[in-house]
Tab-separated table of all heavy atoms in Angstrom:
chain	number	residue	atom	x	y	z
A	658	GLU	N	-84.272	-104.829	8.658
A	658	GLU	CA	-83.381	-104.380	7.596
A	658	GLU	C	-82.944	-102.934	7.816
A	658	GLU	O	-81.797	-102.567	7.572
A	658	GLU	CB	-84.071	-104.529	6.225
A	658	GLU	CG	-84.291	-105.959	5.791
A	658	GLU	CD	-82.973	-106.712	5.665
A	658	GLU	OE1	-81.966	-106.106	5.248
A	658	GLU	OE2	-82.951	-107.908	6.006
A	659	GLU	N	-83.879	-102.101	8.278
A	659	GLU	CA	-83.546	-100.699	8.547
A	659	GLU	C	-82.547	-100.569	9.699
A	659	GLU	O	-81.651	-99.720	9.678
A	659	GLU	CB	-84.820	-99.916	8.863
A	659	GLU	CG	-85.710	-99.684	7.649
A	659	GLU	CD	-87.025	-99.033	8.000
A	659	GLU	OE1	-87.507	-99.267	9.150
A	659	GLU	OE2	-87.575	-98.300	7.160
A	660	LYS	N	-82.701	-101.418	10.700
A	660	LYS	CA	-81.764	-101.408	11.833
A	660	LYS	C	-80.360	-101.792	11.359
A	660	LYS	O	-79.368	-101.182	11.759
A	660	LYS	CB	-82.235	-102.375	12.916
A	660	LYS	CG	-83.482	-101.911	13.643
A	660	LYS	CD	-83.924	-102.931	14.686
A	660	LYS	CE	-85.204	-102.476	15.386
A	660	LYS	NZ	-85.664	-103.460	16.392
A	661	ARG	N	-80.279	-102.820	10.511
A	661	ARG	CA	-78.972	-103.237	9.984
A	661	ARG	C	-78.341	-102.122	9.169
A	661	ARG	O	-77.136	-101.877	9.249
A	661	ARG	CB	-79.144	-104.483	9.114
A	661	ARG	CG	-79.491	-105.740	9.897
A	661	ARG	CD	-79.738	-106.896	8.959
A	661	ARG	NE	-80.111	-108.107	9.693
A	661	ARG	CZ	-80.525	-109.228	9.103
A	661	ARG	NH1	-80.618	-109.284	7.777
A	661	ARG	NH2	-80.835	-110.276	9.841
A	662	ALA	N	-79.164	-101.432	8.389
A	662	ALA	CA	-78.641	-100.336	7.577
A	662	ALA	C	-78.128	-99.192	8.456
A	662	ALA	O	-77.091	-98.578	8.168
A	662	ALA	CB	-79.741	-99.826	6.635
A	663	GLU	N	-78.861	-98.904	9.544
A	663	GLU	CA	-78.451	-97.832	10.460
A	663	GLU	C	-77.097	-98.168	11.110
A	663	GLU	O	-76.210	-97.325	11.204
A	663	GLU	CB	-79.513	-97.640	11.541
A	663	GLU	CG	-80.804	-97.024	11.065
A	663	GLU	CD	-80.697	-95.511	10.895
A	663	GLU	OE1	-79.631	-94.959	11.228
A	663	GLU	OE2	-81.661	-94.901	10.423
A	664	VAL	N	-76.963	-99.403	11.570
A	664	VAL	CA	-75.714	-99.825	12.226
A	664	VAL	C	-74.555	-99.785	11.235
A	664	VAL	O	-73.451	-99.328	11.559
A	664	VAL	CB	-75.865	-101.236	12.831
A	664	VAL	CG1	-74.515	-101.743	13.345
A	664	VAL	CG2	-76.891	-101.226	13.951
A	665	GLN	N	-74.809	-100.265	10.015
A	665	GLN	CA	-73.761	-100.247	8.992
A	665	GLN	C	-73.336	-98.819	8.681
A	665	GLN	O	-72.138	-98.509	8.546
A	665	GLN	CB	-74.281	-100.929	7.720
A	665	GLN	CG	-73.260	-101.012	6.595
A	665	GLN	CD	-72.071	-101.884	6.957
A	665	GLN	OE1	-72.215	-102.855	7.696
A	665	GLN	NE2	-70.892	-101.548	6.456
A	666	LEU	N	-74.304	-97.912	8.581
A	666	LEU	CA	-74.003	-96.509	8.306
A	666	LEU	C	-73.218	-95.892	9.459
A	666	LEU	O	-72.303	-95.091	9.245
A	666	LEU	CB	-75.315	-95.745	8.086
A	666	LEU	CG	-75.174	-94.242	7.767
A	666	LEU	CD1	-74.423	-94.041	6.456
A	666	LEU	CD2	-76.546	-93.587	7.707
A	667	LEU	N	-73.565	-96.282	10.672
A	667	LEU	CA	-72.871	-95.766	11.858
A	667	LEU	C	-71.391	-96.140	11.826
A	667	LEU	O	-70.517	-95.294	12.034
A	667	LEU	CB	-73.536	-96.335	13.118
A	667	LEU	CG	-72.853	-96.016	14.450
A	667	LEU	CD1	-72.902	-94.523	14.723
A	667	LEU	CD2	-73.518	-96.782	15.589
A	668	TYR	N	-71.106	-97.421	11.555
A	668	TYR	CA	-69.714	-97.865	11.466
A	668	TYR	C	-68.972	-97.147	10.340
A	668	TYR	O	-67.822	-96.731	10.492
A	668	TYR	CB	-69.652	-99.377	11.244
A	668	TYR	CG	-69.756	-100.186	12.501
A	668	TYR	CD1	-70.869	-100.973	12.758
A	668	TYR	CD2	-68.739	-100.164	13.451
A	668	TYR	CE1	-70.976	-101.714	13.924
A	668	TYR	CE2	-68.835	-100.913	14.620
A	668	TYR	CZ	-69.952	-101.680	14.847
A	668	TYR	OH	-70.054	-102.418	16.000
A	669	GLN	N	-69.648	-97.023	9.214
A	669	GLN	CA	-69.007	-96.396	8.058
A	669	GLN	C	-68.617	-94.953	8.349
A	669	GLN	O	-67.509	-94.519	8.071
A	669	GLN	CB	-69.964	-96.450	6.861
A	669	GLN	CG	-69.389	-95.838	5.580
A	669	GLN	CD	-70.361	-95.906	4.427
A	669	GLN	OE1	-71.348	-96.629	4.486
A	669	GLN	NE2	-70.100	-95.148	3.394
A	670	LYS	N	-69.544	-94.183	8.944
A	670	LYS	CA	-69.260	-92.782	9.237
A	670	LYS	C	-68.182	-92.639	10.305
A	670	LYS	O	-67.349	-91.740	10.248
A	670	LYS	CB	-70.556	-92.103	9.683
A	670	LYS	CG	-71.483	-91.734	8.545
A	670	LYS	CD	-72.528	-90.790	9.068
A	670	LYS	CE	-73.887	-91.440	9.006
A	670	LYS	NZ	-74.960	-90.528	9.410
A	671	SER	N	-68.223	-93.542	11.290
A	671	SER	CA	-67.231	-93.491	12.367
A	671	SER	C	-65.826	-93.689	11.829
A	671	SER	O	-64.899	-92.955	12.168
A	671	SER	CB	-67.543	-94.567	13.414
A	671	SER	OG	-68.813	-94.359	13.973
A	672	ILE	N	-65.661	-94.682	10.955
A	672	ILE	CA	-64.342	-94.979	10.394
A	672	ILE	C	-63.890	-93.859	9.470
A	672	ILE	O	-62.735	-93.419	9.500
A	672	ILE	CB	-64.367	-96.326	9.652
A	672	ILE	CG1	-64.638	-97.462	10.645
A	672	ILE	CG2	-63.063	-96.554	8.899
A	672	ILE	CD1	-64.869	-98.809	10.001
A	673	GLU	N	-64.805	-93.363	8.649
A	673	GLU	CA	-64.461	-92.296	7.724
A	673	GLU	C	-63.996	-91.044	8.461
A	673	GLU	O	-63.021	-90.394	8.079
A	673	GLU	CB	-65.667	-91.962	6.845
A	673	GLU	CG	-65.960	-93.002	5.772
A	673	GLU	CD	-67.213	-92.654	4.977
A	673	GLU	OE1	-67.881	-91.655	5.345
A	673	GLU	OE2	-67.510	-93.376	4.012
A	674	ASN	N	-64.692	-90.692	9.522
A	674	ASN	CA	-64.349	-89.480	10.263
A	674	ASN	C	-63.072	-89.635	11.077
A	674	ASN	O	-62.399	-88.662	11.375
A	674	ASN	CB	-65.504	-89.088	11.179
A	674	ASN	CG	-66.616	-88.374	10.443
A	674	ASN	OD1	-66.559	-87.171	10.261
A	674	ASN	ND2	-67.619	-89.121	9.996
A	675	LEU	N	-62.742	-90.872	11.453
A	675	LEU	CA	-61.503	-91.096	12.182
A	675	LEU	C	-60.288	-91.007	11.266
A	675	LEU	O	-59.253	-90.455	11.622
A	675	LEU	CB	-61.538	-92.474	12.862
A	675	LEU	CG	-60.292	-92.847	13.665
A	675	LEU	CD1	-60.104	-91.886	14.829
A	675	LEU	CD2	-60.399	-94.271	14.174
A	676	LEU	N	-60.433	-91.535	10.063
A	676	LEU	CA	-59.311	-91.594	9.133
A	676	LEU	C	-59.177	-90.342	8.281
A	676	LEU	O	-58.096	-90.043	7.779
A	676	LEU	CB	-59.443	-92.820	8.221
A	676	LEU	CG	-59.425	-94.180	8.931
A	676	LEU	CD1	-59.586	-95.300	7.911
A	676	LEU	CD2	-58.144	-94.356	9.722
A	677	LYS	N	-60.240	-89.609	8.106
A	677	LYS	CA	-60.208	-88.418	7.267
A	677	LYS	C	-59.659	-87.231	8.043
A	677	LYS	O	-60.131	-86.921	9.129
A	677	LYS	CB	-61.623	-88.110	6.787
A	677	LYS	CG	-61.727	-86.870	5.911
A	677	LYS	CD	-63.183	-86.634	5.533
A	677	LYS	CE	-63.332	-85.354	4.733
A	677	LYS	NZ	-64.748	-85.095	4.394
A	678	PRO	N	-58.608	-86.529	7.545
A	678	PRO	CA	-58.101	-85.348	8.241
A	678	PRO	C	-59.201	-84.310	8.393
A	678	PRO	O	-59.902	-84.000	7.444
A	678	PRO	CB	-56.976	-84.845	7.317
A	678	PRO	CG	-56.596	-86.029	6.501
A	678	PRO	CD	-57.855	-86.812	6.313
A	679	GLN	N	-59.357	-83.788	9.614
A	679	GLN	CA	-60.378	-82.788	9.865
A	679	GLN	C	-59.787	-81.659	10.690
A	679	GLN	O	-58.990	-81.905	11.589
A	679	GLN	CB	-61.563	-83.405	10.615
A	679	GLN	CG	-62.243	-84.515	9.841
A	679	GLN	CD	-63.260	-85.234	10.696
A	679	GLN	OE1	-63.655	-84.755	11.735
A	679	GLN	NE2	-63.691	-86.396	10.228
Side-chain angles (χ1 to χ4, degrees):
E658 292 299 324
E659 288 174 330
K660 290 179 182 179
R661 290 176 182 172
E663 289 281 356
V664 172
Q665 182 65 32
L666 181 63
L667 174 65
Y668 276 112
Q669 181 180 346
K670 281 194 245 184
S671 300
I672 295 172
E673 286 177 355
N674 281 275
L675 180 63
L676 298 179
K677 179 182 176 182
Q679 299 171 15

